[in-house]
Structure formats: structure tokens, C-alpha cells
Amino acid sequence: MNLKIREMRIQDLATIVELERQIFIDAWSEESFVSEIVSNDYSFPLVMEINGQIVGYAVIWRYADEMHIANFAIHPEFRQRGLGKQFMRYVLKEFGDARFAFLEVRRTNEAAIRLYQSFGFRTMQIRKKYYRDGEDALVMVKDLRNNK
Ligand SMILES: CC(C)(COP(=O)(O)OP(=O)(O)OC[C@H]1O[C@@H](n2cnc3c(N)ncnc32)[C@H](O)[C@@H]1OP(=O)(O)O)[C@@H](O)C(=O)NCCC(=O)NCCS
């Protein structure tokens, strides 16, 4: 198995946008991904692939002493085999020079919340009705000085 994590490219977007629509009800548009790749200097969009197939993607914003996990997903057919963990481990190591890592997650997204908690993320705040459909968001933070 040849597993690789690399920068996202424009050529990846047909696959990523399709996955994004399948995974999230409030999916990012193709234009959003393009601007992350092309014009946001603070953005690091990544893909995880196995034998050339995209099995996950993430968008990381890195500014000042913070990193923000703006998007993070594993292909539905490749879940629960440790890839999410592996991807998160990579991200926290790669951007580990930041002081804090932040993210928002839907309150009912148990799989993601458990993954984040297992890496030491803690709920800092609840943003009421943060999502368009009215669901609350948990704002989670990890102090990267305690990174393991
Ligand atoms: C959250 C997500 C990235 C996890 O990816 P994954 O590759 O399945 O995760 P892993 O196999 O590495 O599992 C890591 C941990 O996550 C948790 N987890 C993963 N799937 C779970 C599930 N269905 N139910 C409960 N916990 C789950 C567990 O704590 C697991 O650790 P364990 O296996 O030691 O119990 C994946 O479910 C996903 O892409 N979900 C849709 C997109 C999404 O919600 N992204 C986050 C937006 S904030």
C-alpha cells in the first residue's frame, strides 16, 4: 500500500468536490477550494492518497501562532481503518510550530469529536446554531506545546 500525503492541486478538485458533496450537507464549493489553492497564502490544502486514489483531504489555515483545521474528511469507503488518525497525526506534526490548533465540529458528529479528543482537543466553546441548518458547533482547541 502506497500511502502519501501531499498538497492539493487543481486537478484533484473534480474528485474532491464530488466527495465533499457526498460527505457534507453544507459542502464547500469548487470555487472555495480553488481559492484555497490559488490565492490564500495562509492556506495549506492537503490530500491523502493510496496507490494514487484520493482517500482523504484537509484544509489547514496557519497564521500567527495558530493553526485552524478548516476542513478534514476521509472517503466514506476508507473509514474506520486508522486513516483519519494517521492524517491528523501528520497535520499536527507538520504544523506543530503553532501554539494552538482550533477547529469547529457539529455537536452530533461523534466520530470526529472522538477522533479530535483522542488527540487532546478540548471543547472551548459552543457556538449556538452555527451551521445553516441550525446545529450547534463545538469549538475545539489543542495546546500544541503539549503535543505528543
Ligand atoms: C471523522 C473522520 C475523519 C474519521 O476518519 P476515520 O478514518 O474513519 O478515523 P479512524 O479510523 O482513524 O478512527 C480514529 C478515531 O475516530 C473515532 N471514530 C472514527 N469513526 C467513528 C465512528 N463511526 N463512531 C465513533 N467513533 C469513531 C474513534 O475514536 C477512532 O479511534 P479508535 O478506532 O481507536 O476507536 C471520518 O469519519 C469522516 O471523514 N467523517 C466525515 C467528515 C467529517 O465529519 N469531518 C470532520 C468535520 S469537523
PDB file of all heavy atoms in Angstrom, residues 62-96:
ATOM      1  N   ARG A  62      -2.901  28.489   8.565  1.00  0.00           N
ATOM      2  CA  ARG A  62      -1.794  28.685   9.512  1.00  0.00           C
ATOM      3  C   ARG A  62      -1.472  30.168   9.542  1.00  0.00           C
ATOM      4  O   ARG A  62      -1.079  30.741   8.526  1.00  0.00           O
ATOM      5  CB  ARG A  62      -0.589  27.863   9.005  1.00  0.00           C
ATOM      6  CG  ARG A  62       0.694  28.060   9.761  1.00  0.00           C
ATOM      7  CD  ARG A  62       0.678  27.322  11.101  1.00  0.00           C
ATOM      8  NE  ARG A  62       1.927  27.580  11.801  1.00  0.00           N
ATOM      9  CZ  ARG A  62       2.128  28.616  12.627  1.00  0.00           C
ATOM     10  NH1 ARG A  62       1.167  29.490  12.878  1.00  0.00           N
ATOM     11  NH2 ARG A  62       3.295  28.759  13.224  1.00  0.00           N
ATOM     12  N   TYR A  63      -1.724  30.824  10.667  1.00  0.00           N
ATOM     13  CA  TYR A  63      -1.411  32.243  10.788  1.00  0.00           C
ATOM     14  C   TYR A  63      -1.082  32.550  12.242  1.00  0.00           C
ATOM     15  O   TYR A  63      -1.565  31.897  13.147  1.00  0.00           O
ATOM     16  CB  TYR A  63      -2.564  33.138  10.299  1.00  0.00           C
ATOM     17  CG  TYR A  63      -3.918  32.680  10.756  1.00  0.00           C
ATOM     18  CD1 TYR A  63      -4.368  32.953  12.045  1.00  0.00           C
ATOM     19  CD2 TYR A  63      -4.742  31.934   9.919  1.00  0.00           C
ATOM     20  CE1 TYR A  63      -5.605  32.507  12.479  1.00  0.00           C
ATOM     21  CE2 TYR A  63      -5.974  31.480  10.341  1.00  0.00           C
ATOM     22  CZ  TYR A  63      -6.392  31.777  11.617  1.00  0.00           C
ATOM     23  OH  TYR A  63      -7.616  31.311  12.048  1.00  0.00           O
ATOM     24  N   ALA A  64      -0.220  33.598  12.393  1.00  0.00           N
ATOM     25  CA  ALA A  64       0.244  33.984  13.730  1.00  0.00           C
ATOM     26  C   ALA A  64       0.654  32.723  14.494  1.00  0.00           C
ATOM     27  O   ALA A  64       1.383  31.903  13.965  1.00  0.00           O
ATOM     28  CB  ALA A  64      -0.828  34.782  14.462  1.00  0.00           C
ATOM     29  N   ASP A  65       0.154  32.558  15.708  1.00  0.00           N
ATOM     30  CA  ASP A  65       0.575  31.363  16.449  1.00  0.00           C
ATOM     31  C   ASP A  65      -0.502  30.281  16.442  1.00  0.00           C
ATOM     32  O   ASP A  65      -0.538  29.429  17.309  1.00  0.00           O
ATOM     33  CB  ASP A  65       0.976  31.732  17.880  1.00  0.00           C
ATOM     34  CG  ASP A  65      -0.158  32.375  18.641  1.00  0.00           C
ATOM     35  OD1 ASP A  65      -1.205  32.646  18.024  1.00  0.00           O
ATOM     36  OD2 ASP A  65      -0.009  32.597  19.856  1.00  0.00           O
ATOM     37  N   GLU A  66      -1.389  30.375  15.428  1.00  0.00           N
ATOM     38  CA  GLU A  66      -2.492  29.416  15.385  1.00  0.00           C
ATOM     39  C   GLU A  66      -2.509  28.582  14.127  1.00  0.00           C
ATOM     40  O   GLU A  66      -2.085  29.045  13.067  1.00  0.00           O
ATOM     41  CB  GLU A  66      -3.837  30.171  15.378  1.00  0.00           C
ATOM     42  CG  GLU A  66      -4.109  30.947  16.610  1.00  0.00           C
ATOM     43  CD  GLU A  66      -5.392  31.744  16.490  1.00  0.00           C
ATOM     44  OE1 GLU A  66      -6.188  31.480  15.562  1.00  0.00           O
ATOM     45  OE2 GLU A  66      -5.580  32.642  17.322  1.00  0.00           O
ATOM     46  N   MET A  67      -3.013  27.385  14.250  1.00  0.00           N
ATOM     47  CA  MET A  67      -3.416  26.641  13.063  1.00  0.00           C
ATOM     48  C   MET A  67      -4.887  26.299  13.227  1.00  0.00           C
ATOM     49  O   MET A  67      -5.368  26.110  14.347  1.00  0.00           O
ATOM     50  CB  MET A  67      -2.597  25.368  12.878  1.00  0.00           C
ATOM     51  CG  MET A  67      -2.773  24.359  13.964  1.00  0.00           C
ATOM     52  SD  MET A  67      -2.148  22.733  13.508  1.00  0.00           S
ATOM     53  CE  MET A  67      -3.408  22.185  12.434  1.00  0.00           C
ATOM     54  N   HIS A  68      -5.597  26.303  12.096  1.00  0.00           N
ATOM     55  CA  HIS A  68      -7.030  26.059  12.132  1.00  0.00           C
ATOM     56  C   HIS A  68      -7.329  24.922  11.147  1.00  0.00           C
ATOM     57  O   HIS A  68      -6.936  25.014   9.985  1.00  0.00           O
ATOM     58  CB  HIS A  68      -7.758  27.343  11.713  1.00  0.00           C
ATOM     59  CG  HIS A  68      -9.225  27.312  11.957  1.00  0.00           C
ATOM     60  ND1 HIS A  68      -9.832  28.095  12.906  1.00  0.00           N
ATOM     61  CD2 HIS A  68     -10.201  26.593  11.386  1.00  0.00           C
ATOM     62  CE1 HIS A  68     -11.134  27.840  12.899  1.00  0.00           C
ATOM     63  NE2 HIS A  68     -11.387  26.927  11.975  1.00  0.00           N
ATOM     64  N   ILE A  69      -7.967  23.890  11.630  1.00  0.00           N
ATOM     65  CA  ILE A  69      -8.338  22.796  10.726  1.00  0.00           C
ATOM     66  C   ILE A  69      -9.697  23.156  10.138  1.00  0.00           C
ATOM     67  O   ILE A  69     -10.740  23.019  10.780  1.00  0.00           O
ATOM     68  CB  ILE A  69      -8.348  21.450  11.475  1.00  0.00           C
ATOM     69  CG1 ILE A  69      -6.947  21.222  12.070  1.00  0.00           C
ATOM     70  CG2 ILE A  69      -8.756  20.306  10.534  1.00  0.00           C
ATOM     71  CD1 ILE A  69      -6.812  20.039  12.984  1.00  0.00           C
ATOM     72  N   ALA A  70      -9.665  23.694   8.923  1.00  0.00           N
ATOM     73  CA  ALA A  70     -10.876  24.266   8.324  1.00  0.00           C
ATOM     74  C   ALA A  70     -11.716  23.200   7.626  1.00  0.00           C
ATOM     75  O   ALA A  70     -12.925  23.374   7.478  1.00  0.00           O
ATOM     76  CB  ALA A  70     -10.487  25.367   7.331  1.00  0.00           C
ATOM     77  N   ASN A  71     -11.078  22.140   7.173  1.00  0.00           N
ATOM     78  CA  ASN A  71     -11.800  21.050   6.521  1.00  0.00           C
ATOM     79  C   ASN A  71     -10.989  19.772   6.745  1.00  0.00           C
ATOM     80  O   ASN A  71      -9.753  19.816   6.711  1.00  0.00           O
ATOM     81  CB  ASN A  71     -11.955  21.347   5.019  1.00  0.00           C
ATOM     82  CG  ASN A  71     -13.082  20.560   4.378  1.00  0.00           C
ATOM     83  OD1 ASN A  71     -13.408  19.469   4.824  1.00  0.00           O
ATOM     84  ND2 ASN A  71     -13.675  21.116   3.331  1.00  0.00           N
ATOM     85  N   PHE A  72     -11.696  18.676   6.963  1.00  0.00           N
ATOM     86  CA  PHE A  72     -10.992  17.418   7.263  1.00  0.00           C
ATOM     87  C   PHE A  72     -11.952  16.269   6.973  1.00  0.00           C
ATOM     88  O   PHE A  72     -13.031  16.207   7.545  1.00  0.00           O
ATOM     89  CB  PHE A  72     -10.589  17.402   8.749  1.00  0.00           C
ATOM     90  CG  PHE A  72      -9.660  16.282   9.119  1.00  0.00           C
ATOM     91  CD1 PHE A  72      -8.287  16.424   8.965  1.00  0.00           C
ATOM     92  CD2 PHE A  72     -10.160  15.072   9.616  1.00  0.00           C
ATOM     93  CE1 PHE A  72      -7.421  15.382   9.301  1.00  0.00           C
ATOM     94  CE2 PHE A  72      -9.297  14.032   9.958  1.00  0.00           C
ATOM     95  CZ  PHE A  72      -7.926  14.188   9.799  1.00  0.00           C
ATOM     96  N   ALA A  73     -11.588  15.385   6.059  1.00  0.00           N
ATOM     97  CA  ALA A  73     -12.508  14.287   5.734  1.00  0.00           C
ATOM     98  C   ALA A  73     -11.757  13.083   5.175  1.00  0.00           C
ATOM     99  O   ALA A  73     -10.736  13.223   4.507  1.00  0.00           O
ATOM    100  CB  ALA A  73     -13.552  14.753   4.714  1.00  0.00           C
ATOM    101  N   ILE A  74     -12.324  11.933   5.450  1.00  0.00           N
ATOM    102  CA  ILE A  74     -11.847  10.667   4.880  1.00  0.00           C
ATOM    103  C   ILE A  74     -12.974  10.109   3.995  1.00  0.00           C
ATOM    104  O   ILE A  74     -14.154  10.188   4.354  1.00  0.00           O
ATOM    105  CB  ILE A  74     -11.484   9.657   6.020  1.00  0.00           C
ATOM    106  CG1 ILE A  74     -10.318  10.176   6.880  1.00  0.00           C
ATOM    107  CG2 ILE A  74     -11.163   8.266   5.451  1.00  0.00           C
ATOM    108  CD1 ILE A  74      -8.970  10.290   6.180  1.00  0.00           C
ATOM    109  N   HIS A  75     -12.598   9.601   2.846  1.00  0.00           N
ATOM    110  CA  HIS A  75     -13.527   8.971   1.899  1.00  0.00           C
ATOM    111  C   HIS A  75     -14.393   7.950   2.646  1.00  0.00           C
ATOM    112  O   HIS A  75     -13.849   7.120   3.400  1.00  0.00           O
ATOM    113  CB  HIS A  75     -12.661   8.274   0.840  1.00  0.00           C
ATOM    114  CG  HIS A  75     -13.407   7.753  -0.325  1.00  0.00           C
ATOM    115  ND1 HIS A  75     -14.481   6.897  -0.230  1.00  0.00           N
ATOM    116  CD2 HIS A  75     -13.222   7.949  -1.658  1.00  0.00           C
ATOM    117  CE1 HIS A  75     -14.921   6.592  -1.426  1.00  0.00           C
ATOM    118  NE2 HIS A  75     -14.182   7.224  -2.311  1.00  0.00           N
ATOM    119  N   PRO A  76     -15.720   7.964   2.447  1.00  0.00           N
ATOM    120  CA  PRO A  76     -16.606   7.055   3.195  1.00  0.00           C
ATOM    121  C   PRO A  76     -16.190   5.582   3.105  1.00  0.00           C
ATOM    122  O   PRO A  76     -16.355   4.841   4.080  1.00  0.00           O
ATOM    123  CB  PRO A  76     -17.976   7.258   2.538  1.00  0.00           C
ATOM    124  CG  PRO A  76     -17.912   8.622   1.941  1.00  0.00           C
ATOM    125  CD  PRO A  76     -16.480   8.880   1.576  1.00  0.00           C
ATOM    126  N   GLU A  77     -15.664   5.165   1.990  1.00  0.00           N
ATOM    127  CA  GLU A  77     -15.299   3.746   1.852  1.00  0.00           C
ATOM    128  C   GLU A  77     -13.963   3.385   2.507  1.00  0.00           C
ATOM    129  O   GLU A  77     -13.558   2.224   2.503  1.00  0.00           O
ATOM    130  CB  GLU A  77     -15.230   3.361   0.368  1.00  0.00           C
ATOM    131  CG  GLU A  77     -16.603   3.253  -0.258  1.00  0.00           C
ATOM    132  CD  GLU A  77     -16.567   3.295  -1.769  1.00  0.00           C
ATOM    133  OE1 GLU A  77     -15.530   2.923  -2.349  1.00  0.00           O
ATOM    134  OE2 GLU A  77     -17.570   3.738  -2.349  1.00  0.00           O
ATOM    135  N   PHE A  78     -13.280   4.388   3.056  1.00  0.00           N
ATOM    136  CA  PHE A  78     -11.963   4.129   3.651  1.00  0.00           C
ATOM    137  C   PHE A  78     -11.927   4.460   5.144  1.00  0.00           C
ATOM    138  O   PHE A  78     -10.864   4.611   5.715  1.00  0.00           O
ATOM    139  CB  PHE A  78     -10.889   4.922   2.896  1.00  0.00           C
ATOM    140  CG  PHE A  78     -10.609   4.379   1.517  1.00  0.00           C
ATOM    141  CD1 PHE A  78     -11.410   4.743   0.447  1.00  0.00           C
ATOM    142  CD2 PHE A  78      -9.566   3.482   1.298  1.00  0.00           C
ATOM    143  CE1 PHE A  78     -11.168   4.238  -0.835  1.00  0.00           C
ATOM    144  CE2 PHE A  78      -9.318   2.971   0.028  1.00  0.00           C
ATOM    145  CZ  PHE A  78     -10.116   3.347  -1.041  1.00  0.00           C
ATOM    146  N   ARG A  79     -13.105   4.585   5.744  1.00  0.00           N
ATOM    147  CA  ARG A  79     -13.141   4.979   7.163  1.00  0.00           C
ATOM    148  C   ARG A  79     -12.927   3.796   8.094  1.00  0.00           C
ATOM    149  O   ARG A  79     -13.021   2.648   7.692  1.00  0.00           O
ATOM    150  CB  ARG A  79     -14.505   5.625   7.467  1.00  0.00           C
ATOM    151  CG  ARG A  79     -14.597   6.974   6.797  1.00  0.00           C
ATOM    152  CD  ARG A  79     -15.836   7.733   7.203  1.00  0.00           C
ATOM    153  NE  ARG A  79     -15.951   8.902   6.321  1.00  0.00           N
ATOM    154  CZ  ARG A  79     -17.067   9.505   6.021  1.00  0.00           C
ATOM    155  NH1 ARG A  79     -18.202   9.097   6.559  1.00  0.00           N
ATOM    156  NH2 ARG A  79     -17.065  10.548   5.207  1.00  0.00           N
ATOM    157  N   GLN A  80     -12.666   4.156   9.335  1.00  0.00           N
ATOM    158  CA  GLN A  80     -12.512   3.199  10.442  1.00  0.00           C
ATOM    159  C   GLN A  80     -11.423   2.149  10.186  1.00  0.00           C
ATOM    160  O   GLN A  80     -11.588   0.970  10.472  1.00  0.00           O
ATOM    161  CB  GLN A  80     -13.856   2.545  10.751  1.00  0.00           C
ATOM    162  CG  GLN A  80     -14.798   3.584  11.342  1.00  0.00           C
ATOM    163  CD  GLN A  80     -16.034   2.993  11.981  1.00  0.00           C
ATOM    164  OE1 GLN A  80     -16.970   2.635  11.297  1.00  0.00           O
ATOM    165  NE2 GLN A  80     -16.021   2.897  13.296  1.00  0.00           N
ATOM    166  N   ARG A  81     -10.369   2.649   9.553  1.00  0.00           N
ATOM    167  CA  ARG A  81      -9.181   1.789   9.450  1.00  0.00           C
ATOM    168  C   ARG A  81      -7.923   2.596   9.782  1.00  0.00           C
ATOM    169  O   ARG A  81      -6.839   2.287   9.304  1.00  0.00           O
ATOM    170  CB  ARG A  81      -9.099   1.119   8.094  1.00  0.00           C
ATOM    171  CG  ARG A  81      -9.218   2.061   6.915  1.00  0.00           C
ATOM    172  CD  ARG A  81      -9.022   1.343   5.604  1.00  0.00           C
ATOM    173  NE  ARG A  81     -10.278   0.934   5.015  1.00  0.00           N
ATOM    174  CZ  ARG A  81     -10.396   0.482   3.763  1.00  0.00           C
ATOM    175  NH1 ARG A  81      -9.331   0.332   3.011  1.00  0.00           N
ATOM    176  NH2 ARG A  81     -11.558   0.176   3.259  1.00  0.00           N
ATOM    177  N   GLY A  82      -8.125   3.666  10.536  1.00  0.00           N
ATOM    178  CA  GLY A  82      -6.980   4.400  11.073  1.00  0.00           C
ATOM    179  C   GLY A  82      -6.448   5.533  10.199  1.00  0.00           C
ATOM    180  O   GLY A  82      -5.482   6.196  10.576  1.00  0.00           O
ATOM    181  N   LEU A  83      -7.100   5.769   9.053  1.00  0.00           N
ATOM    182  CA  LEU A  83      -6.555   6.808   8.168  1.00  0.00           C
ATOM    183  C   LEU A  83      -6.770   8.221   8.727  1.00  0.00           C
ATOM    184  O   LEU A  83      -5.902   9.091   8.596  1.00  0.00           O
ATOM    185  CB  LEU A  83      -7.171   6.699   6.768  1.00  0.00           C
ATOM    186  CG  LEU A  83      -6.797   5.433   5.989  1.00  0.00           C
ATOM    187  CD1 LEU A  83      -7.524   5.392   4.654  1.00  0.00           C
ATOM    188  CD2 LEU A  83      -5.289   5.346   5.770  1.00  0.00           C
ATOM    189  N   GLY A  84      -7.920   8.430   9.359  1.00  0.00           N
ATOM    190  CA  GLY A  84      -8.188   9.739   9.971  1.00  0.00           C
ATOM    191  C   GLY A  84      -7.122  10.061  11.014  1.00  0.00           C
ATOM    192  O   GLY A  84      -6.569  11.166  11.063  1.00  0.00           O
ATOM    193  N   LYS A  85      -6.812   9.066  11.822  1.00  0.00           N
ATOM    194  CA  LYS A  85      -5.788   9.227  12.862  1.00  0.00           C
ATOM    195  C   LYS A  85      -4.425   9.546  12.242  1.00  0.00           C
ATOM    196  O   LYS A  85      -3.697  10.422  12.718  1.00  0.00           O
ATOM    197  CB  LYS A  85      -5.661   7.909  13.625  1.00  0.00           C
ATOM    198  CG  LYS A  85      -6.072   8.012  15.059  1.00  0.00           C
ATOM    199  CD  LYS A  85      -5.825   6.681  15.741  1.00  0.00           C
ATOM    200  CE  LYS A  85      -6.955   6.410  16.693  1.00  0.00           C
ATOM    201  NZ  LYS A  85      -6.898   5.096  17.297  1.00  0.00           N
ATOM    202  N   GLN A  86      -4.117   8.804  11.201  1.00  0.00           N
ATOM    203  CA  GLN A  86      -2.817   8.983  10.547  1.00  0.00           C
ATOM    204  C   GLN A  86      -2.700  10.387   9.931  1.00  0.00           C
ATOM    205  O   GLN A  86      -1.675  11.048  10.021  1.00  0.00           O
ATOM    206  CB  GLN A  86      -2.680   7.937   9.436  1.00  0.00           C
ATOM    207  CG  GLN A  86      -1.262   7.525   9.191  1.00  0.00           C
ATOM    208  CD  GLN A  86      -1.205   6.294   8.296  1.00  0.00           C
ATOM    209  OE1 GLN A  86      -2.037   5.401   8.426  1.00  0.00           O
ATOM    210  NE2 GLN A  86      -0.253   6.241   7.405  1.00  0.00           N
ATOM    211  N   PHE A  87      -3.804  10.823   9.335  1.00  0.00           N
ATOM    212  CA  PHE A  87      -3.835  12.146   8.705  1.00  0.00           C
ATOM    213  C   PHE A  87      -3.690  13.232   9.777  1.00  0.00           C
ATOM    214  O   PHE A  87      -2.915  14.186   9.644  1.00  0.00           O
ATOM    215  CB  PHE A  87      -5.157  12.301   7.946  1.00  0.00           C
ATOM    216  CG  PHE A  87      -5.127  13.264   6.792  1.00  0.00           C
ATOM    217  CD1 PHE A  87      -6.258  13.438   5.988  1.00  0.00           C
ATOM    218  CD2 PHE A  87      -3.993  14.006   6.473  1.00  0.00           C
ATOM    219  CE1 PHE A  87      -6.257  14.310   4.910  1.00  0.00           C
ATOM    220  CE2 PHE A  87      -3.985  14.891   5.396  1.00  0.00           C
ATOM    221  CZ  PHE A  87      -5.119  15.041   4.620  1.00  0.00           C
ATOM    222  N   MET A  88      -4.425  13.070  10.882  1.00  0.00           N
ATOM    223  CA  MET A  88      -4.362  14.065  11.958  1.00  0.00           C
ATOM    224  C   MET A  88      -2.966  14.110  12.575  1.00  0.00           C
ATOM    225  O   MET A  88      -2.433  15.180  12.868  1.00  0.00           O
ATOM    226  CB  MET A  88      -5.421  13.736  13.025  1.00  0.00           C
ATOM    227  CG  MET A  88      -5.488  14.712  14.169  1.00  0.00           C
ATOM    228  SD  MET A  88      -5.822  16.416  13.647  1.00  0.00           S
ATOM    229  CE  MET A  88      -7.523  16.275  13.132  1.00  0.00           C
ATOM    230  N   ARG A  89      -2.363  12.952  12.746  1.00  0.00           N
ATOM    231  CA  ARG A  89      -1.005  12.899  13.306  1.00  0.00           C
ATOM    232  C   ARG A  89      -0.047  13.691  12.421  1.00  0.00           C
ATOM    233  O   ARG A  89       0.777  14.465  12.884  1.00  0.00           O
ATOM    234  CB  ARG A  89      -0.550  11.437  13.413  1.00  0.00           C
ATOM    235  CG  ARG A  89       0.486  11.207  14.476  1.00  0.00           C
ATOM    236  CD  ARG A  89       0.817   9.722  14.663  1.00  0.00           C
ATOM    237  NE  ARG A  89      -0.294   8.924  15.142  1.00  0.00           N
ATOM    238  CZ  ARG A  89      -0.805   7.854  14.520  1.00  0.00           C
ATOM    239  NH1 ARG A  89      -0.291   7.435  13.376  1.00  0.00           N
ATOM    240  NH2 ARG A  89      -1.814   7.193  15.024  1.00  0.00           N
ATOM    241  N   TYR A  90      -0.198  13.507  11.114  1.00  0.00           N
ATOM    242  CA  TYR A  90       0.645  14.221  10.142  1.00  0.00           C
ATOM    243  C   TYR A  90       0.438  15.741  10.260  1.00  0.00           C
ATOM    244  O   TYR A  90       1.400  16.512  10.324  1.00  0.00           O
ATOM    245  CB  TYR A  90       0.287  13.754   8.724  1.00  0.00           C
ATOM    246  CG  TYR A  90       0.991  14.530   7.640  1.00  0.00           C
ATOM    247  CD1 TYR A  90       2.218  14.105   7.141  1.00  0.00           C
ATOM    248  CD2 TYR A  90       0.437  15.700   7.116  1.00  0.00           C
ATOM    249  CE1 TYR A  90       2.869  14.828   6.150  1.00  0.00           C
ATOM    250  CE2 TYR A  90       1.083  16.429   6.130  1.00  0.00           C
ATOM    251  CZ  TYR A  90       2.294  15.985   5.655  1.00  0.00           C
ATOM    252  OH  TYR A  90       2.944  16.708   4.686  1.00  0.00           O
ATOM    253  N   VAL A  91      -0.830  16.148  10.293  1.00  0.00           N
ATOM    254  CA  VAL A  91      -1.156  17.584  10.331  1.00  0.00           C
ATOM    255  C   VAL A  91      -0.579  18.236  11.585  1.00  0.00           C
ATOM    256  O   VAL A  91       0.043  19.305  11.523  1.00  0.00           O
ATOM    257  CB  VAL A  91      -2.705  17.765  10.264  1.00  0.00           C
ATOM    258  CG1 VAL A  91      -3.120  19.154  10.698  1.00  0.00           C
ATOM    259  CG2 VAL A  91      -3.211  17.462   8.859  1.00  0.00           C
ATOM    260  N   LEU A  92      -0.753  17.564  12.726  1.00  0.00           N
ATOM    261  CA  LEU A  92      -0.288  18.168  13.983  1.00  0.00           C
ATOM    262  C   LEU A  92       1.232  18.236  14.033  1.00  0.00           C
ATOM    263  O   LEU A  92       1.799  19.153  14.633  1.00  0.00           O
ATOM    264  CB  LEU A  92      -0.841  17.382  15.182  1.00  0.00           C
ATOM    265  CG  LEU A  92      -2.357  17.500  15.360  1.00  0.00           C
ATOM    266  CD1 LEU A  92      -2.834  16.584  16.485  1.00  0.00           C
ATOM    267  CD2 LEU A  92      -2.780  18.942  15.649  1.00  0.00           C
ATOM    268  N   LYS A  93       1.889  17.298  13.374  1.00  0.00           N
ATOM    269  CA  LYS A  93       3.344  17.318  13.337  1.00  0.00           C
ATOM    270  C   LYS A  93       3.828  18.413  12.372  1.00  0.00           C
ATOM    271  O   LYS A  93       4.701  19.220  12.693  1.00  0.00           O
ATOM    272  CB  LYS A  93       3.842  15.944  12.892  1.00  0.00           C
ATOM    273  CG  LYS A  93       5.315  15.772  12.993  1.00  0.00           C
ATOM    274  CD  LYS A  93       5.687  14.295  13.027  1.00  0.00           C
ATOM    275  CE  LYS A  93       7.200  14.178  12.978  1.00  0.00           C
ATOM    276  NZ  LYS A  93       7.648  13.528  11.749  1.00  0.00           N
ATOM    277  N   GLU A  94       3.216  18.430  11.214  1.00  0.00           N
ATOM    278  CA  GLU A  94       3.624  19.347  10.153  1.00  0.00           C
ATOM    279  C   GLU A  94       3.436  20.821  10.568  1.00  0.00           C
ATOM    280  O   GLU A  94       4.224  21.679  10.198  1.00  0.00           O
ATOM    281  CB  GLU A  94       2.777  19.031   8.912  1.00  0.00           C
ATOM    282  CG  GLU A  94       3.288  19.572   7.605  1.00  0.00           C
ATOM    283  CD  GLU A  94       4.622  18.972   7.175  1.00  0.00           C
ATOM    284  OE1 GLU A  94       5.017  17.917   7.696  1.00  0.00           O
ATOM    285  OE2 GLU A  94       5.268  19.606   6.314  1.00  0.00           O
ATOM    286  N   PHE A  95       2.363  21.097  11.323  1.00  0.00           N
ATOM    287  CA  PHE A  95       2.061  22.480  11.709  1.00  0.00           C
ATOM    288  C   PHE A  95       2.287  22.671  13.207  1.00  0.00           C
ATOM    289  O   PHE A  95       1.746  23.577  13.822  1.00  0.00           O
ATOM    290  CB  PHE A  95       0.624  22.829  11.309  1.00  0.00           C
ATOM    291  CG  PHE A  95       0.407  22.720   9.820  1.00  0.00           C
ATOM    292  CD1 PHE A  95      -0.020  21.530   9.251  1.00  0.00           C
ATOM    293  CD2 PHE A  95       0.696  23.789   8.983  1.00  0.00           C
ATOM    294  CE1 PHE A  95      -0.185  21.410   7.880  1.00  0.00           C
ATOM    295  CE2 PHE A  95       0.540  23.680   7.604  1.00  0.00           C
ATOM    296  CZ  PHE A  95       0.097  22.491   7.053  1.00  0.00           C
ATOM    297  N   GLY A  96       3.096  21.807  13.752  1.00  0.00           N
ATOM    298  CA  GLY A  96       3.312  21.785  15.195  1.00  0.00           C
ATOM    299  C   GLY A  96       4.098  22.961  15.744  1.00  0.00           C
ATOM    300  O   GLY A  96       4.266  23.089  16.948  1.00  0.00           O
TER     301      GLY A  96
END
